[in-house]
Amino acid sequence: MARGRFARWFDNRGWTLLLIGAPYVWLVILFLLPFLIVVAMSVATNTPTAPPFSFGGDHPWINLEPFTRVLTDGLYLRAFLTSILNAFVAMVLCLLIGYPMALGLTRVSKSWRTILLMLVILPFWTSFLLRVYAWMGLMGKNSWFNGLLTDFWNVLVPLDWAIRSVPMMHTNFAVVLVMVYTYLPFMILPLYASLERLDPTLDEAAMDLGSRPYQVFLDVTLPQSIPGIIAGGMLVFIPAAGELVIPSLVGNASQPMIGKIIQDEFGQARDWPMASAVAVALLVLMVVPTMIYSRYQAKAEGAK
Amino acid sequence: MKRSPVFLVSILCFGFAFLYIPILSMIVYSFNASRLATVWGGFSTKWYVSLLSNEAVINALVLSLQIAVVSATIATILGTMAGIALARFTKFRGRTLFSGLVTAPLIMPEVITGISMLIFFILMADWIGWPGQRGFTTITLAHITFCMVFVTTVVSARMVQTDRAIEEAAMDLGSRPWQVMFDITLPVISPAIVSGWLLAFTISLDDVVISSFVTGPGSTTLPLLVWSKVKLGVTPDINALATLMIVTVGIGVAAAGIILHRSEKRRLAEERLAFRNND
């Protein structure tokens, strides 16, 4: 069979080159390059030109002012603190609700398990925005849910403390509640994946040796599910900390989270270097837990 | 012995109530006759009528579907290539950077992805005059970029499980590398490719944050339209929209589940038959 030089080259090298090259080039141009531009932008100087930045001028090449502002200006520090706090509380609550749910899923019969797992995933396939919106309907002053909570509160407390409605909308509480709601599946699924693999005979062995159920949980189940806990925690914390939609819809506008700050610096203030510096700072904040996680995972792999 | 303690069962009930009561409430209130979206005023389907006769909603839906189909398809092609490359070529120059590039968009906060893409597009327009106007093209390019890494994750997870011996056998029998891929690899991993496409499609259809950065005048996707409406408060027609979306997705997921379940059953039966014939 006579094959041209091109065909031979294509079979030997070209085919591999194409498979690797096409997605590689795409990601370098449309992901890496934009990202590097943002990193470079974070040390540029804001100017009233279009586009509103320059290198040089008063600050020869590198201008560290945006970063010093991130670290000293109360506005940015408060926003970072709000983001971390909201994301952290949401992560802990997701864990507290998600862990027993994941454990429960491993204990129900197999046919139930398929249905219930599908029900965990189903909200993920519906619109994220509409899930946030569902809570706007529930938390509003006139809703049946708010009315229920109000009645409950009024029955429990003395008459003087009676309220007409529970002020839930536009608070950090609302932000955390909706974050827990939207990110709960991200916590349940990795937890379920790691709990499902556990050997039930270990539990039985511990029981036979005289452990109480809670001791079995603390000594046997919990330590083995730590990879799942870390994975779920990261999957909740990282998107929650950078969240833009939830705080903009149910959050307190006077306590902005970091995503809103980035958007405002870029859009309203037209200060690209500042927006980039805040973005880079947020990324550093994300990278630290990710590094801890991957190091932990590498260690766990090494131990095997 | 199977223990299902009362505590675990009750927290399961609580958890599913937490997940589904807001959705059910939204569905019930979509049939509310009252203008006040949260006060019950009798049964009515008028919000469905007003929703479906709202041209802005229909246009936004069409635009969103177009973007989702185009970006999911291209993202699936590129993402599958990347997944196969990562699983099959263990050594090539720049592999570390490549695997980093494939995971980074997964953990990058959406705000940062959005803003870096927007700055990129603005600077490109400034330097080389492209893209002249932001809209369909820029949204689609952005969606392809962050959807393809999800496809890669799904595909490479599947590639790890597949048997390389079949591919090697085909090579030994004289197939050329690209024939091996089209005749063996792709059919074997086709379930992963399908679920990758569906994942990319839903992620693209659902995206708000990145679209909100890279969109331009006149290009309002459905999530962007909903976001701008919902910012002003709760409106009854959005309840109707949510209900339609949930019903569609529910039927889709149930149908997909049944089809997958059946094909799995058939595959198992065929495998059993094949083994029996071998004996």
Side-chain angles (χ1 to χ4, degrees):
Chain A
M1 189 169 61
R3 278 204 256 149
R5 271 173 65 188
F6 175 77
R8 244 177 303 148
W9 172 84
F10 187 76
D11 282 0
N12 289 337
R13 305 242 357 240
W15 176 241
T16 320
L17 216 61
L18 179 71
L19 266 186
I20 301 173
Y24 210 147
V25 168
W26 185 285
L27 284 173
V28 165
I29 293 178
L30 278 145
F31 184 77
L32 188 61
L33 187 62
F35 174 67
L36 291 178
I37 292 175
V38 166
V39 175
M41 186 76 69
S42 68
V43 292
T45 309
N46 185 30
T47 54
T49 53
F53 72 97
S54 74
F55 288 95
D58 292 347
H59 302 275
W61 295 107
I62 284 178
N63 174 19
L64 289 175
E65 201 213 317
F67 279 106
T68 45
R69 266 173 69 197
V70 169
L71 292 174
T72 53
D73 192 330
L75 171 74
Y76 305 110
L77 291 180
R78 267 199 302 277
F80 270 110
L81 211 64
T82 313
S83 302
I84 295 172
L85 214 65
N86 282 350
F88 185 76
V89 175
M91 179 181 77
V92 171
L93 287 176
C94 275
L95 183 63
L96 290 179
I97 303 170
Y99 198 100
M101 280 183 78
L103 198 59
L105 281 171
T106 64
R107 298 286 161 81
V108 296
S109 72
K110 202 156 181 206
S111 48
W112 266 105
R113 205 184 291 178
T114 319
I115 296 171
L116 291 181
L117 270 178
M118 197 120 109
L119 283 177
V120 171
I121 302 168
L122 193 64
F124 172 77
W125 291 89
T126 66
S127 163
F128 165 78
L129 204 53
L130 292 176
R131 276 179 288 151
V132 180
Y133 171 78
W135 275 100
M136 293 175 69
L138 288 185
M139 290 190 297
K141 278 196 183 100
N142 304 317
S143 76
W144 64 267
F145 182 72
N146 200 327
L148 208 70
L149 287 186
T150 312
D151 291 344
F152 190 64
W153 170 265
N154 288 346
V155 168
L156 285 181
V157 301
L159 211 58
D160 293 349
W161 294 1
I163 46 172
R164 296 185 62 184
S165 66
V166 186
M168 278 191 286
M169 277 296 274
H170 308 300
T171 60
N172 278 321
F173 169 78
V175 173
V176 171
L177 178 71
V178 177
M179 278 179 180
V180 172
Y181 180 71
T182 45
Y183 294 129
L184 189 59
F186 290 131
M187 180 62 96
I188 295 178
L189 294 175
L191 278 176
Y192 171 77
S194 77
L195 285 171
E196 192 216 5
R197 276 202 298 260
L198 300 189
D199 188 351
T201 53
L202 277 179
D203 282 23
E204 282 159 24
M207 293 282 261
D208 290 346
L209 293 171
S211 286
R212 299 262 187 81
Y214 75 89
Q215 286 174 322
V216 175
F217 174 74
L218 287 180
D219 295 342
V220 179
T221 315
L222 193 61
Q224 293 190 81
S225 60
I226 285 178
I229 295 178
I230 292 177
M234 305 272 300
L235 285 177
V236 174
F237 183 83
I238 287 181
E243 188 55 61
L244 180 66
V245 175
I246 296 175
S248 86
L249 291 179
V250 301
N252 184 341
S254 63
Q255 287 174 303
M257 282 178 57
I258 208 69
K260 176 80 176 135
I261 296 281
I262 296 177
Q263 197 193 31
D264 285 353
E265 286 295 346
F266 185 84
Q268 286 166 20
R270 264 184 82 72
D271 191 341
W272 290 13
M274 195 62 223
S276 305
V278 179
V280 170
L282 173 64
L283 213 65
V284 171
L285 202 76
M286 308 275 92
V287 165
V288 173
T290 317
M291 297 274 261
I292 295 172
Y293 172 62
S294 54
R295 223 162 132 200
Y296 176 87
Q297 235 187 2
K299 232 194 286 160
E301 295 280 309
K304 266 176 199 165
Chain B
M1 189 187 72
K2 193 151 247 169
R3 292 173 301 128
S4 49
V6 183
F7 170 69
L8 288 183
V9 172
S10 51
I11 197 118
L12 268 184
C13 294
F14 167 78
F16 281 105
F18 175 61
L19 283 178
Y20 281 91
I21 283 178
I23 293 177
L24 290 178
S25 173
M26 201 156 57
I27 294 176
V28 170
Y29 276 92
S30 72
F31 296 105
N32 186 2
S34 165
R35 256 201 102 64
L36 288 164
T38 53
V39 182
W40 187 252
F43 180 86
S44 156
T45 52
K46 66 178 177 189
W47 301 114
Y48 289 88
V49 178
S50 88
L51 180 79
L52 294 177
S53 55
N54 185 338
E55 209 168 302
V57 172
I58 304 297
N59 287 343
L61 176 67
V62 171
L63 179 68
S64 276
L65 287 174
Q66 283 170 340
I67 291 174
V69 168
V70 174
S71 52
T73 307
I74 300 178
T76 304
I77 296 170
L78 287 170
T80 306
M81 289 168 93
I84 294 176
L86 275 177
R88 284 295 177 259
F89 310 127
T90 46
K91 276 189 206 136
F92 58 87
R93 219 179 296 154
R95 191 179 192 276
T96 321
L97 175 66
F98 188 44
S99 59
L101 281 178
V102 166
T103 38
L106 292 173
I107 53 169
M108 182 79 93
E110 282 180 311
V111 186
I112 299 181
T113 311
I115 205 164
S116 57
M117 290 243 170
L118 175 56
I119 290 180
F120 172 74
F121 287 136
I122 293 177
L123 291 183
M124 290 301 275
D126 205 44
W127 291 336
I128 61 169
W130 175 92
Q133 203 186 10
R134 286 191 299 283
F136 182 87
T137 320
T138 50
I139 298 177
T140 308
L141 287 175
H143 283 193
I144 293 169
T145 308
F146 74 89
C147 285
M148 67 177 276
V149 296
F150 285 91
V151 180
T152 303
T153 314
V154 176
V155 167
S156 58
R158 178 81 195 194
M159 285 295 285
V160 172
Q161 296 169 2
T162 57
D163 191 358
R164 275 196 82 165
I166 316 172
E167 287 173 24
E168 279 157 11
M171 289 286 262
D172 291 346
L173 292 172
S175 282
R176 293 157 68 179
W178 57 270
Q179 288 172 324
V180 175
M181 189 172 115
F182 281 104
D183 293 346
I184 314 261
T185 317
L186 287 183
V188 169
I189 61 169
S190 58
I193 295 175
V194 172
S195 44
W197 189 89
L198 284 173
L199 190 62
F201 180 78
T202 32
I203 291 172
S204 165
L205 200 59
D206 199 22
D207 174 66
V208 199
V209 176
I210 292 170
S211 304
S212 79
F213 280 107
V214 298
T215 187
S219 298
T220 311
T221 62
L222 190 59
L224 288 178
L225 182 77
V226 172
W227 197 20
S228 64
K229 271 182 86 109
V230 163
K231 267 181 193 164
L232 306 174
V234 179
T235 56
D237 50 342
I238 299 292
N239 283 331
L241 178 68
T243 305
L244 288 179
M245 199 172 272
I246 289 160
V247 169
T248 315
V249 169
I251 292 173
V253 169
I258 291 169
I259 292 170
L260 277 181
H261 185 70
R262 283 213 181 132
S263 68
E264 188 76 358
K265 247 186 182 168
R266 198 181 313 136
R267 198 178 60 85
L268 284 177
E270 276 168 5
E271 257 175 28
R272 258 196 309 264
L273 205 68
F275 277 120
R276 206 175 301 149
N277 290 346
N278 276 346
D279 286 342

